[in-house]
Amino acid sequence: MSVTRTGEPKAPAGVDPHRWWGLVIIALAQLMVVLDATIVNIALPSAQHDLGISDGNRQWVITAYTLAFGGLLLLGGRIADLVGRKRTFVFGLVGFAVASAIGGAATGPGMLFGARALQGAFAAVLAPSALSLLTTGFTDPKERGKAFGVYGALAGSGSAIGLIAGGLLTEYLNWRWCLYVNIPIAITAVFGAFTLLRDRPGNKGARLDLPGVVLGCGGLVALVYGFSEAEPRGWTDPLVLSLFAVGVALLTAFVLWQTKAPSPLLPLHIVKDRNRAGCFLTMALAVIGLFGMFLFLTYYLQVVLGYSPVKTGLAFLPLTAAIIVGSTQISARLLQHVAPRMLMVPGMILAAGSMLIFTRLTVDSDYAGRLLPGLILMGLGMGLTFMPVFATATAGVAPQDSGVTSATVNTSQQVGGSIGTALLNTIATTSGAAYIAAHLHDPAQQALVTREGIVHGYTVAIWWAVGIMLLAALVAGLMVTAKPPKRAPAGARVPQSVA
């Protein structure tokens, strides 16, 4: 392939010559959305102190974002298909920047909670637009593999990068900069989008499926909210059970409506495809374990080992590096030669192996001997998994459905994260409390037994995560049957082509 004077691959006729620079803009926006789910975690104690947020309400700094983001993704994806992906991409960037500015300038809890919800709403527009721009912008098999390698690396490492950035900004500036930092990123991406991104017009003749919006988005909001409330309230709390019941009822009605809606919010052929369904489920299961690991290791490093916020964030650097290597140097190079499941299954087995290492944590485990090997294995496993999941789930999709397909991938990731945080944290808390009650015989040993109980709770929950990761490997192996392009029959849909 010939190259331009700047070193960028020369585009064939009809292909956007600026697509690689456009990928930089798409990646920048996606990184902002993903890291914002965790960047405020380390800053939360400072924000709570400054704004007088109660212990009972502090979770809303996190929940407001995830609730709006996870609940509105399907709507954001369909808006991208109807209006045009570039327009919604820019709209999402501008809205996200404004919401970040409001949050950074918050003078009270309500203002911060509202800004975080607004961030989540604009992220629900931005994330599907970014992935669908990538899907329609890279159609060559080799280029598509590289582009999705970059995207998969950011999707997997964004949360860890958020922890690092949150620690640095909180310690050396203040918690408000965890929100303000989005403004220059968004401004840069907006200018880049106008200059470098191309998109075909939206489907002006189609109409938005309003009943589908109410049923689908309402059901997702209820489920995400239910999983979020299960963490502090418990699984048998009446509110939690009611939210789950409402969520299931609304989503059941949503599926029934989609079979007869004239312009469905989520065309069911998207989720009926075996490969896509397998990718959605693999993503959800993988993220359950990944988010559980982030939660436990963050607390383990700070509460048990006494790490500072910055040191905690930096401790995740090897994970980030391993995800990037797994996505860009292994998956991106192999995906055009091997079937996607030949990467996804080993990736999930590696992730399960890393969790096995974490099940042996104690109150005085050393970082180099126990944590570092597990983080590297987890990073490689996620790098091997995320990249083929994104590429396969969005392959063979008509351009007018690329936005909603991208939204469905993001929804599986978001719902999986909510389930992982609530489910595994509940298991850890319950197991830890039972351990402390059974072993606390001498009041003089309370501090030690409490620390041992906390770690015991983490390891019990991590055993569950091992099982979930292995289940993800099984799902990928049985359901994702797509072939590599060199072995696919002529004219067949393969993970590297876009209809």
Side-chain angles (χ1 to χ4, degrees):
M1 179 182 289
S2 58
V3 298
T4 64
R5 292 182 179 179
T6 61
E8 184 179 338
K10 188 174 181 180
V15 177
D16 182 8
H18 303 300
R19 62 199 180 284
W20 289 105
W21 284 110
L23 174 61
V24 174
I25 301 303
I26 294 169
L28 193 63
Q30 176 64 19
L31 177 62
M32 182 178 68
V33 168
V34 175
L35 67 82
D36 235 72
T38 57
I39 193 171
V40 299
N41 284 28
I42 293 179
L44 186 53
S46 299
Q48 182 180 359
H49 179 266
D50 282 359
L51 300 180
I53 303 173
S54 68
D55 288 344
N57 287 332
R58 66 184 176 186
Q59 63 157 328
W60 282 103
V61 177
I62 310 299
T63 305
Y65 181 83
T66 58
L67 191 61
F69 187 20
L72 299 175
L73 270 166
L74 282 180
L75 175 60
R78 185 46 92 189
I79 289 174
D81 290 331
L82 298 181
V83 178
R85 287 163 284 276
K86 180 176 176 179
R87 287 182 181 179
T88 51
F89 183 77
V90 172
F91 174 74
L93 284 170
V94 173
F96 201 92
V98 171
S100 299
I102 295 172
T107 56
M111 186 174 176
L112 180 59
F113 299 157
R116 288 289 287 167
L118 201 59
Q119 276 187 312
F122 283 110
V125 173
L126 183 56
S129 301
L131 181 54
S132 56
L133 281 167
L134 180 64
T135 300
T136 56
F138 289 88
T139 55
D140 177 78
K142 189 173 182 180
E143 290 190 348
R144 184 178 172 86
K146 292 178 180 178
F148 274 93
V150 173
Y151 191 90
L154 291 175
S157 62
S159 296
I161 294 172
L163 294 172
I164 297 168
L168 291 170
L169 291 170
T170 301
E171 189 152 327
Y172 295 112
L173 292 173
N174 63 55
W175 68 268
R176 296 180 185 275
W177 278 97
C178 292
L179 295 163
Y180 286 145
V181 70
N182 295 316
I183 300 173
I185 296 175
I187 292 173
T188 302
V190 166
F191 280 109
F194 279 123
T195 306
L196 300 168
L197 295 182
R198 290 185 180 179
D199 186 28
R200 65 193 72 196
N203 187 359
K204 296 180 180 179
R207 294 182 179 181
L208 191 62
D209 176 19
L210 292 179
V213 170
V214 174
L215 295 172
C217 294
L220 287 173
V221 167
L223 279 186
V224 175
Y225 187 21
F227 284 118
S228 299
E229 288 297 306
E231 184 178 348
R233 293 174 177 267
W235 293 95
T236 58
D237 182 84
L239 175 62
V240 173
L241 294 176
S242 298
L243 287 168
F244 286 153
V246 170
V248 170
L250 288 176
L251 290 178
T252 301
F254 170 75
V255 172
L256 294 174
W257 169 250
Q258 295 306 284
T259 62
K260 56 184 179 182
S263 299
L265 181 67
L266 175 61
L268 293 184
H269 66 82
I270 291 174
V271 293
K272 285 181 179 178
D273 181 272
R274 177 173 180 163
N275 288 306
R276 270 192 286 276
C279 286
F280 297 152
L281 189 52
T282 300
M283 171 64 79
L285 292 170
V287 174
I288 288 175
L290 180 65
F291 272 54
M293 183 211 69
F294 278 131
L295 176 70
F296 298 140
L297 290 192
T298 299
Y299 276 92
Y300 177 78
L301 291 169
Q302 293 193 63
V303 175
V304 179
L305 298 186
Y307 280 29
S308 68
V310 170
K311 191 175 180 181
T312 299
L314 294 176
F316 285 102
L317 268 178
L319 171 72
T320 304
I323 289 175
I324 293 172
V325 170
S327 292
T328 64
Q329 302 304 310
I330 301 177
S331 288
R333 295 175 183 272
L334 293 180
L335 186 57
Q336 60 179 323
H337 303 292
V338 301
R341 64 179 170 182
M342 297 303 293
L343 297 171
M344 295 161 64
V345 172
M348 285 293 91
I349 293 175
L350 281 176
S354 80
M355 289 296 193
L356 281 175
I357 294 175
F358 294 142
T359 61
R360 301 182 63 82
L361 290 176
T362 64
V363 294
D364 55 1
S365 294
D366 66 298
Y367 178 82
R370 188 60 52 81
L371 291 169
L372 182 59
L375 288 169
I376 292 173
L377 277 182
M378 176 62 77
L380 291 174
M382 289 300 168
L384 285 172
T385 303
F386 278 3
M387 184 268 174
V389 163
F390 283 121
T392 307
T394 56
V397 179
Q400 64 267 23
D401 290 330
S402 64
V404 72
T405 305
S406 302
T408 308
V409 180
N410 280 281
T411 298
S412 64
Q413 187 176 8
Q414 191 63 34
V415 172
S418 298
I419 295 172
T421 301
L423 173 63
L424 297 181
N425 187 65
T426 301
I427 293 172
T429 303
T430 305
S431 302
Y435 181 95
I436 294 171
H439 292 80
L440 185 57
H441 306 300
D442 183 359
Q445 298 293 316
Q446 182 172 358
L448 176 60
V449 172
T450 299
R451 291 173 67 217
E452 290 176 343
I454 291 172
V455 176
H456 173 77
Y458 293 166
T459 57
V460 170
I462 290 171
W463 272 111
W464 281 78
V466 171
I468 292 170
M469 293 294 194
L470 292 176
L471 178 59
L474 182 64
V475 168
L478 295 178
M479 293 186 66
V480 183
T481 58
K483 299 181 182 299
K486 292 185 178 180
R487 297 183 187 177
R493 291 188 310 169
V494 294
Q496 286 78 25
S497 65
V498 178

